């Protein structure tokens, strides 16, 4: 039996009118993550200036409405931030900015967080730098204990 999920107006707005969709030509960093269990795949592109401030962020997501909405919100949350500030954008921050997500869709916000981290990781690798607090990201969020803790599975 399927259930009807309640989404906030912000989630519906970001799903219906996603911001920053697309690719960045010659990006500073690209991060791709997925969730094999639900089939969502999220790719985040970053354009980072010499001052380590994110000038632009775009995304391409294959997945449900919540995955599109969290991708869209995540891009808005990191544009204009320093690399270090972007690293602090958590799945919780994405969910709060969207006025919440149904419990079965929390994994979408985790994808957004991991995709940002994966793009920052790619940027750090390309530039031979270390970003304090940044760890190599999981390609599949099912690999992370955090996923299970957050989703209650």
């Amino acid at each position: 039996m399927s259930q009807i999920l309640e989404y906030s107006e912000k989630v519906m707005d970001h799903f219906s009118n996603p911001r920053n969709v697309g690719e960045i030509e010659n990006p500073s960093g690209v991060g791709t993550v997925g969730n094999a269990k639900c089939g969502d795949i999220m790719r985040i592109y970053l354009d980072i200036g010499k001052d380590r401030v994110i000038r632009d962020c775009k995304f391409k997501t294959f997945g449900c409405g919540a995955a599109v909405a969290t991708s869209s919100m995540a891009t808005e949350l990191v544009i204009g931030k320093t690399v270090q500030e972007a690293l602090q954008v958590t799945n919780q921050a994405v969910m709060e900015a969207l006025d919440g997500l149904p419990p079965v869709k929390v994994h979408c916000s985790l994808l957004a967080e991991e995709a940002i981290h994966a793009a920052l990781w790619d940027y750090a690798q390309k530039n031979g730098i270390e970003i304090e607090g940044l760890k190599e990201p999981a390609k599949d969020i099912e690999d992370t204990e955090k996923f299970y803790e957050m989703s209650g599975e």
Side-chain angles (χ1 to χ4, degrees):
M1 189 165 116
S2 66
Q3 63 187 47
I4 296 183
L5 301 177
E6 292 288 325
Y7 290 106
S8 71
E9 284 184 34
K10 282 188 183 176
V11 171
M12 294 307 295
D13 182 41
H14 276 268
F15 168 66
S16 301
N17 307 293
R19 283 63 151 182
N20 307 305
V21 176
E23 296 178 34
I24 293 175
E25 202 170 310
N26 303 313
S28 306
V30 180
T32 304
V33 295
N35 181 328
K37 186 176 181 181
C38 68
D40 293 340
I41 300 169
M42 190 177 294
R43 180 170 290 155
I44 296 271
Y45 300 83
L46 297 174
D47 176 26
I48 302 171
K50 291 188 188 335
D51 57 1
R52 292 194 184 181
V53 172
I54 297 171
R55 297 184 291 212
D56 198 7
C57 182
K58 300 231 181 276
F59 79 92
K60 284 192 161 186
T61 294
F62 175 82
C64 65
V68 171
T70 56
S71 303
S72 174
M73 181 55 80
T75 64
E76 290 206 318
L77 291 174
V78 300
I79 292 173
K81 300 265 194 307
T82 66
V83 165
Q84 204 61 50
E85 290 169 334
L87 184 57
Q88 306 309 313
V89 173
T90 63
N91 74 298
Q92 196 64 39
V94 172
M95 285 195 301
E96 286 172 12
L98 288 169
D99 293 336
L101 286 172
V104 297
K105 294 299 181 177
V106 167
H107 68 275
C108 295
S109 65
L110 283 165
L111 271 176
E113 177 184 331
E114 285 298 317
I116 292 167
H117 290 184
L120 290 170
W121 180 265
D122 184 50
Y123 164 73
Q125 296 297 298
K126 286 178 178 175
N127 290 281
I129 60 173
E130 193 173 310
I131 300 171
E132 189 180 333
L134 180 64
K135 295 175 180 60
E136 186 170 3
K139 295 287 184 227
D140 182 336
I141 65 166
E142 279 197 306
D143 292 341
T144 65
E145 287 179 41
K146 190 174 178 182
F147 169 74
Y148 292 105
E149 292 169 7
M150 293 300 297
S151 66
E153 291 186 10

